[in-house]
Amino acid sequence: MYFEVSDKYRQATDEQLREIVYQAKKKMGDRLLILAHHYQRLEVADVADFVGDSYDLSLKASQHKEAEYIVFCGVHFMAESAEILSADLQKVYLPNPLAGCPMADMADLDDVMMAWKTLQDIGVADNTIPLSYMNSAAALKAFCGRQRGLICTSSNAQAAFKYVYDKVDKLFFFPDEHLGYNTGRWFGIPDNEIVVWDFRQEEGGIDLESLKKARLILWKGHCHVHTNFKASQIADLKAKHPDAKVVVHPECEWEVVKNADAVGSTKFIVNYIEEQPAGTMIAVGTEINLINRMAHQFPDKKIFELSGMKCPVCANMYRTTMADLANTVESLGSFDRIVVPSAIKAEAGLALKRMLEVH
Ligand code: 13P
Ligand code: SF4
């Protein structure tokens, strides 16, 4: 897809872009709702009506029925979820349509259907419920809706696991292996009842006997930002600064979450940082824009990223600039909005509504 904003916005100063957004907000009032994920650039988060984690933002999209236009500064699956949860007359926009999520792309509908067919062939699908991480395409959410399944985010994965295990013995989770594994471990599922379906291999690279016995079937997807963090980084930090606190996102590997002081969604991480007393040293295992915003907001605390390499950037979250946002709010009628076909929307909506109910 080709996408470019015009010179009018590319050549404008930050102040001019901010003014364009403010004028649009003033003119449209409640008819315009700007949502921003915690990983957005500081200047974009600054002008949003709400900044939140993916759960909270989907909730806002479902609650603000007065907003005719929802501009979602985040990545594609988030805007798509907002579109599914919003009312028919509301219109949802992603200011930079190129902003995707590589982890979401690791679960392709055909590949997931192939895994499901294997579960049917070995006779266990009736005793299995699919659970998709929010970071997935709408068609996969629809598959969950059809199969008694639901969606979760990092803030309600344990509640979603409980929902499934109250009904059946087996849970099929995609696309994030690490969030699935961490939640399974917190839920008490032992290693010998967990298998990982590797979509690059024949029959997931799992022997059918293990698949039959497994209670938790994970998908071999991951987030390249969060897998940068390692347990050795925590050990090195604690050796030098025993009082330092470490807070990480549950998309990190098990060894990392096991050794951190606290683990949770982006909203949880923000709250955790806010609650620490002045002077606390806090190493954070998540995306750099959230960390930089927190460091800017709390200069009395020493907030830094855990790996020490300044590398955890989500390039897709970073794509959305003030120029993109200004362009979107000034051309709402003509800018391409997010559209989900109605059949997919109905089934995906079922799965998302189950998520909102179990939170
Ligand atoms: P949250 O649901 O915690 O905001 O996380 C979304 C995400 O994509 C993290 O990488
Ligand atoms: Fe996707 Fe990772 Fe970026 Fe989150 S941080 S949007 S999981 S690539």
Side-chain angles (χ1 to χ4, degrees):
M1 181 199 278
Y2 179 72
F3 169 69
E4 194 179 39
V5 293
S6 71
D7 284 351
K8 170 181 171 190
Y9 302 103
R10 281 196 294 132
Q11 289 165 5
T13 64
D14 288 352
E15 224 13 80
Q16 288 167 331
L17 293 169
R18 180 185 272 268
E19 191 51 31
I20 291 173
V21 177
Y22 278 140
Q23 287 306 326
K25 283 164 71 128
K26 204 164 128 193
K27 188 169 130 205
M28 302 185 69
D30 287 350
R31 289 170 57 224
L32 170 64
L33 177 69
I34 302 179
L35 301 176
H37 186 262
H38 281 302
Y39 294 162
Q40 289 294 295
R41 296 162 183 249
L42 180 65
E43 60 275 22
V44 171
D46 244 13
V47 296
D49 296 304
F50 294 101
V51 182
D53 65 8
S54 48
Y55 178 83
D56 265 359
L57 295 175
S58 66
L59 200 61
K60 292 280 183 271
S62 73
Q63 289 168 338
H64 284 263
K65 304 285 185 226
E66 74 289 354
E68 194 176 327
Y69 303 102
I70 301 176
V71 175
F72 205 123
C73 304
V75 290
H76 190 266
F77 73 82
M78 295 180 177
E80 209 175 46
S81 303
E83 154 64 11
I84 293 165
L85 287 168
S86 64
D88 284 349
L89 291 174
Q90 293 182 291
K91 299 179 184 70
V92 177
Y93 298 86
L94 182 67
N96 188 315
L98 302 178
C101 167
M103 179 216 274
D105 294 343
M106 286 177 195
D108 170 80
L109 180 66
D110 289 344
D111 289 342
V112 172
M113 287 302 116
M114 203 117 77
W116 187 249
K117 182 166 184 319
T118 306
L119 294 176
Q120 286 174 324
D121 290 346
I122 62 173
V124 298
D126 286 348
N127 197 19
T128 307
I129 288 184
L131 168 61
S132 175
Y133 191 22
M134 182 71 112
N135 304 37
S136 60
L140 285 170
K141 292 184 172 81
F143 161 67
C144 290
R146 274 197 301 284
Q147 300 295 343
R148 302 176 287 164
L150 73 167
I151 310 304
C152 73
T153 72
S154 58
S155 69
N156 60 8
Q158 292 196 35
F161 267 51
K162 181 171 181 328
Y163 176 93
V164 172
Y165 286 127
D166 280 348
K167 295 182 169 50
V168 292
D169 291 331
K170 285 174 174 288
L171 189 157
F172 176 29
F173 184 79
F174 44 84
D176 187 14
E177 174 186 348
H178 302 295
L179 176 65
Y181 183 80
N182 297 336
T183 312
R185 289 298 298 262
W186 291 321
F187 208 79
I189 314 275
D191 268 347
N192 62 3
E193 293 181 1
I194 303 177
V195 292
V196 181
W197 182 279
D198 183 350
F199 54 95
R200 297 171 195 90
Q201 290 191 45
E202 194 70 17
E203 291 201 321
I206 308 170
D207 69 88
L208 296 182
E209 265 322 294
S210 307
L211 194 57
K212 257 187 201 162
K213 275 194 232 134
R215 292 198 61 217
L216 177 57
I217 301 144
L218 302 173
W219 194 257
K220 202 168 178 53
H222 68 276
C223 166
H224 65 286
V225 176
H226 289 93
T227 45
N228 272 311
F229 301 107
K230 300 291 166 200
S232 59
Q233 295 157 357
I234 302 182
D236 290 350
L237 175 75
K238 296 273 184 177
K240 280 195 219 126
H241 304 285
D243 293 337
K245 299 285 184 207
V246 177
V247 59
V248 303
H249 194 276
E251 286 173 13
C252 294
E253 293 160 359
W254 173 243
E255 287 303 311
V256 175
V257 303
K258 197 175 75 179
N259 287 291
D261 295 293
V263 186
S265 77
T266 52
K267 174 185 177 178
F268 173 92
I269 293 173
V270 167
N271 290 344
Y272 181 85
I273 293 172
E274 279 172 3
E275 282 162 11
Q276 301 310 306
T280 312
M281 182 180 267
I282 313 159
V284 188
T286 197
E287 209 273 343
I288 195 72
N289 280 287
L290 180 155
I291 302 171
N292 287 344
R293 218 176 61 251
M294 290 295 102
H296 178 79
Q297 206 174 320
F298 299 103
D300 59 338
K301 303 174 194 182
K302 189 161 170 22
I303 299 163
F304 53 96
E305 69 93 7
L306 172 64
S307 80
M309 295 183 284
K310 301 255 180 282
C311 60
V313 181
C314 176
N316 282 281
M317 286 284 186
Y318 197 64
R319 277 183 194 274
T320 303
T321 62
M322 279 299 284
D324 297 334
L325 180 55
N327 177 29
T328 310
V329 297
E330 273 202 331
S331 40
L332 287 166
S334 47
F335 198 82
D336 277 351
R337 66 186 177 98
I338 299 285
V339 179
V340 180
S342 57
I344 293 182
K345 193 168 169 170
E347 290 178 331
L350 262 181
L352 278 163
K353 281 176 194 136
R354 285 184 193 129
M355 169 185 87
L356 298 179
E357 280 157 22
V358 304
H359 191 69

